[in-house]
Amino acid sequence: MSTSPYFGKDVSEWSQITDEIISKHPIKPEEIVEVVLKSWDDIFNSKIGSFYIGKEIEPVPQIMSFLLHELVAHYLSLKHPGIYRVGVEKSEKDIHCITNKELSIEIKGSSNPSQIFANRSYAQPQSGNGQKDKNGYYIAINFQQFKDVKPQLPKILLIRFGYLEHTDWIAQNSATGQQARLGADVYRYKLKQIYPR
């Protein structure tokens, strides 16, 4: 969207705006939930060499997030051939919409029970040097870590879908801090919980 759908709107109006934005997206929330849960299950049916993930191998959260991220992007692209594909260029989002790049989706995974994080560059305006647009649709996925649930396998805790802008991200104050986080109102009104219902 060339202009912010939330521009000039009071926080009390954000939730309804988010509902409208989500309803216009060609990928529906129930489809996202189905694909995320399938992708998560598929990770535990996968091997690295001769060893099963979740049995002999317990990847750290960053690796689990990477695997989930890749599978979700590939499966959603397969479901919408000619419309979506996995993003490959630096300027493309994780799930790139071929027909309208404003409908592209970024995926964020986190082992935090409820929050997601990004590089602090997400809190800065678009630089225009071939970087991906930080404004747009996001799928946010929170999952358990192995160390917290042994001997059970970790589960997906939350799946949310919504529309975020660079102004929603709060960069760490420290000069060496490389992380950006979201404020409470953004979680409440801009990222809609689609799992669990």
Side-chain angles (χ1 to χ4, degrees), residues 28-41:
K28 299 304 168 199
E30 54 273 16
E31 188 178 3
I32 292 169
V33 170
E34 180 190 322
V35 164
V36 170
L37 296 179
K38 173 181 170 45
S39 299
W40 189 250
D41 286 345

Side-chain angles (χ1 to χ4, degrees), residues 13 17 27 45-46 57 81 86-87 104 136 149 158 171:
E13 300 175 80
I17 295 166
I27 298 178
N45 292 321
S46 302
I57 295 177
V86 177
S104 297
V149 296
L158 278 175

Side-chain angles (χ1 to χ4, degrees), residues 5-169:
Y6 300 95
F7 182 74
K9 304 291 184 184
D10 189 75
V11 173
S12 63
E13 300 175 80
W14 285 6
S15 185
Q16 186 180 344
I17 295 166
T18 303
D19 287 340
E20 288 168 11
I21 294 168
I22 289 172
S23 71
K24 291 174 185 168
H25 200 278
I27 298 178
K28 299 304 168 199
E30 54 273 16
E31 188 178 3
I32 292 169
V33 170
E34 180 190 322
V35 164
V36 170
L37 296 179
K38 173 181 170 45
S39 299
W40 189 250
D41 286 345
D42 281 358
I43 292 172
F44 299 108
N45 292 321
S46 302
K47 285 180 174 180
I48 298 174
S50 301
F51 307 103
Y52 277 101
I53 295 175
K55 289 182 183 170
E56 296 91 359
I57 295 177
E58 297 180 354
V60 295
Q62 292 89 332
I63 301 295
M64 292 298 285
S65 185
F66 167 79
L67 294 171
L68 184 59
H69 188 279
E70 289 294 311
L71 288 173
V72 169
H74 278 84
Y75 280 138
L76 284 175
S77 298
L78 281 177
K79 279 177 161 279
H80 298 269
I83 300 170
Y84 282 94
R85 65 169 170 76
V86 177
V88 288
E89 302 292 333
K90 201 163 98 170
S91 60
E92 293 175 350
K93 300 209 172 149
D94 300 320
I95 308 167
H96 177 72
C97 185
I98 300 159
T99 54
N100 178 0
K101 68 177 185 179
E102 290 189 349
L103 295 173
S104 297
I105 307 171
E106 192 75 354
I107 304 168
K108 291 286 174 202
S110 173
S111 62
N112 182 288
S114 61
Q115 294 182 294
I116 59 166
F117 304 95
N119 185 290
R120 70 179 294 161
S121 67
Y122 275 73
Q124 295 158 2
Q126 195 62 18
S127 58
N129 62 349
Q131 298 287 327
K132 67 175 82 174
D133 188 356
K134 287 126 181 175
N135 303 334
Y137 288 93
Y138 281 77
I139 296 170
I141 308 164
N142 297 85
F143 56 86
Q144 295 174 321
Q145 330 188 27
F146 284 100
K147 70 180 180 68
D148 294 335
V149 296
K150 281 182 173 183
Q152 277 83 36
L153 290 176
K155 292 183 170 66
I156 296 290
L157 296 172
L158 278 175
I159 307 170
R160 289 171 288 194
F161 185 44
Y163 190 93
L164 302 178
E165 299 162 299
H166 78 270
T167 50
D168 294 322
W169 294 98

